[in-house]
Amino acid sequence: MISETEYKKRRETLAEQLKNNSLSVLFSAVQQIRSNDTEYVFRQNSNFYYMTGFKEDNATLVFLKKKGKTKTILFVQKKDKLKELWTGKRLGVKQSKKRFLIDKVYAQEDFETKLKEYMQGITSINYDFNSYTDKAKVLHAYAKDMLSYANLAKPIEQMRLYKSPTEIALIRKAIAITKEAHHRAMHMSKKCNYEYELQAEIEYVFKKNAALSDAYTSIVAGGNNANTLHYIDNNKPLHHGDLILIDAGCEYNYYASDITRSIPTSGKFTQAQKELYEMVLEVELAIIKMIQPNIKRTQLQKKSEELLCAGMVKLGILKGDVKKLLKKQKHKKYYPHGIGHWMGIDVHDQAPYKDENGKELLLQSGMVMTIEPGVYIEKDDTNVPLKYRGIGIRIEDDILVTDEGHENLSQGIAKTINEIEKYA
Ligand code: GLY
Ligand code: MN
Ligand code: MN
């Protein structure tokens, strides 16, 4: 668990970066309607959560910086017996004051009045441009007249890039649960007739282990469906002899995992599947090996394209000179996506890969990144040997950059052909 002291430290780190005479505001997420009288499960805004650890909606965090000193103020929902009867207990003003190491706590209803008061002498406003809710509109009305206003998400994203030991522990836990889920899928694949059955087996393990949500909608794609990168229908029959691409990861206490495995429905890879799988696996391992401080993501991207392109030439999927094929981007038809992304509170942790001057970030100890090369061959692609058509393979792991190089946090999830077949 992340302590109140750690949250306080995060707020202090952010406050140091704020200008004098500035007002900075973070809004909670807004409860979303699914359809008549039903709501989606509430999920806190990631930046708001990172700064507070507070899971209720209708809340606002304010940083008021004057004369080099920052006051933090939290607005929360008031206690309300009737509303709490329907939607559950609220912390309320008093309990929030006790729990959070925040200077002042008020009821949400006081926000606009207090805002007017805080605005005295303010010359710049910061807020998260991504959370443009009705409350943000009130603020925006002020911001337009300001000397300067800036996106508060930017400095928070930078902080979120570097995971603390407690954050890494939560990611490890999410991955441990996801490991069990993928192993169950490997074991159950022969017994499942539809993609959704396998999805249920995976998500059963998530919930059973207190990971109450998936970090993104699970992809369970049998056969040719694996060639649709974001396939989430998961409603087709599984056919004996096909591969199933499973991209599924749970969210545990607001921290993600993001794992892909490609496994056989029959429990055994065919010869053609083996050939393609071994090739992608070799590339994945080679890219993971490169991860260490001061390397750039584009270096990993470039190398993965070179290796996959060369691998595809070897298998006869692409024909010609590797360098020329790369130059003409021919490999992109079969490997159209990035090698990986930041991961943390969000599965795609919201941080740019370049600094504000357009210079690419170097990987540093404490960052977490996925590595996920893939090859996707449509069933009707007559340019490719028949035996490979209709196969889509991606292999994805979650990697922590360390001082020494890296640690594959998902190392324990079966990945070689032997390991996967043993689980069947
Ligand atoms: N699961 C989404 C991704 O791999 O990026
Ligand atoms: Mn990913
Ligand atoms: Mn994924």
Side-chain angles (χ1 to χ4, degrees), residues 330-366:
K330 293 287 185 196
H331 60 292
K332 289 254 161 110
K333 180 175 174 195
Y334 303 112
Y335 171 43
H337 58 70
I339 186 61
H341 49 82
W342 309 130
M343 191 192 82
I345 294 181
D346 283 296
V347 62
H348 290 186
D349 234 13
Q350 180 196 322
Y353 295 91
K354 289 178 180 164
D355 68 16
E356 62 275 17
N357 304 315
K359 214 170 141 216
E360 199 183 346
L361 295 186
L362 302 173
L363 266 61
Q364 296 299 349
S365 180

Side-chain angles (χ1 to χ4, degrees), residues 59 139 294 354:
L139 200 66
N294 299 321
K354 289 178 180 164

Side-chain angles (χ1 to χ4, degrees), residues 4-21:
E4 291 307 327
T5 323
E6 183 166 344
Y7 287 115
K8 182 166 188 260
K9 276 207 190 109
R10 291 176 187 172
R11 291 190 292 270
E12 286 168 354
T13 306
L14 179 64
E16 279 166 24
Q17 302 169 60
L18 300 172
K19 286 187 191 158
N20 245 331
N21 301 322

Side-chain angles (χ1 to χ4, degrees), residues 148-391:
S148 75
Y149 60 100
N151 191 355
L152 191 58
K154 295 289 160 202
I156 303 175
E157 286 166 3
Q158 289 308 308
M159 290 170 64
R160 282 175 53 189
L161 266 177
Y162 298 88
K163 273 70 181 175
S164 70
T166 40
E167 289 187 284
I168 292 166
L170 288 169
I171 293 172
R172 279 187 203 281
K173 176 72 180 169
I175 292 172
I177 297 168
T178 298
K179 167 179 159 178
E180 198 184 321
H182 276 269
H183 285 171
R184 188 181 176 90
M186 289 169 195
H187 183 61
M188 297 299 287
S189 67
K190 273 195 292 195
K191 299 187 187 84
C192 291
N193 295 319
Y194 284 86
E195 292 164 342
Y196 52 75
E197 289 181 43
L198 213 41
Q199 180 181 8
E201 298 292 345
I202 290 163
E203 293 174 9
Y204 162 77
V205 176
F206 290 174
K207 280 242 172 24
K208 184 90 175 161
N209 288 283
L212 300 185
S213 172
D214 28 62
Y216 50 93
T217 306
S218 306
I219 297 170
V220 182
N224 192 58
N225 299 331
N227 296 315
T228 302
L229 295 178
H230 282 173
Y231 177 83
I232 51 170
D233 289 348
N234 304 342
N235 60 358
K236 306 288 185 312
L238 294 167
H239 299 292
H240 190 85
D242 279 352
L243 284 187
I244 317 160
L245 186 153
I246 301 178
D247 185 346
C250 70
E251 181 179 285
Y252 181 79
N253 267 316
Y254 277 81
Y255 282 82
S257 53
D258 184 7
I259 302 293
T260 309
R261 290 292 183 266
S262 303
I263 65 170
T265 46
S266 64
K268 285 246 173 260
F269 286 79
T270 65
Q271 183 56 34
Q273 289 164 354
K274 267 187 193 172
E275 289 163 9
L276 207 51
Y277 189 90
E278 293 283 12
M279 193 272 279
V280 178
L281 179 58
E282 235 174 76
V283 176
E284 202 234 11
L285 295 173
I287 302 302
I288 291 174
K289 217 169 163 190
M290 289 170 70
I291 296 187
Q292 58 181 36
N294 299 321
I295 198 159
K296 295 175 189 159
R297 179 170 171 265
T298 47
Q299 285 172 272
L300 305 175
Q301 181 70 37
K302 188 163 174 275
K303 192 71 184 172
S304 72
E305 292 182 24
E306 286 167 9
L307 292 175
L308 284 174
C309 186
M312 286 191 272
V313 168
K314 243 191 196 161
L315 294 178
I317 295 165
L318 288 171
K319 288 169 203 75
D321 176 67
V322 175
K323 274 198 184 125
K324 279 187 193 148
L325 289 166
L326 282 166
K327 208 167 170 202
K328 288 190 192 151
Q329 306 268 294
K330 293 287 185 196
H331 60 292
K332 289 254 161 110
K333 180 175 174 195
Y334 303 112
Y335 171 43
H337 58 70
I339 186 61
H341 49 82
W342 309 130
M343 191 192 82
I345 294 181
D346 283 296
V347 62
H348 290 186
D349 234 13
Q350 180 196 322
Y353 295 91
K354 289 178 180 164
D355 68 16
E356 62 275 17
N357 304 315
K359 214 170 141 216
E360 199 183 346
L361 295 186
L362 302 173
L363 266 61
Q364 296 299 349
S365 180
M367 292 176 171
V368 175
M369 188 182 183
T370 68
I371 291 297
E372 48 182 304
V375 169
Y376 311 89
I377 298 168
E378 275 293 336
K379 66 177 184 331
D380 50 9
D381 189 338
T382 51
N383 297 313
V384 173
L386 183 63
K387 60 179 178 176
Y388 298 132
R389 291 182 208 161
I391 303 179

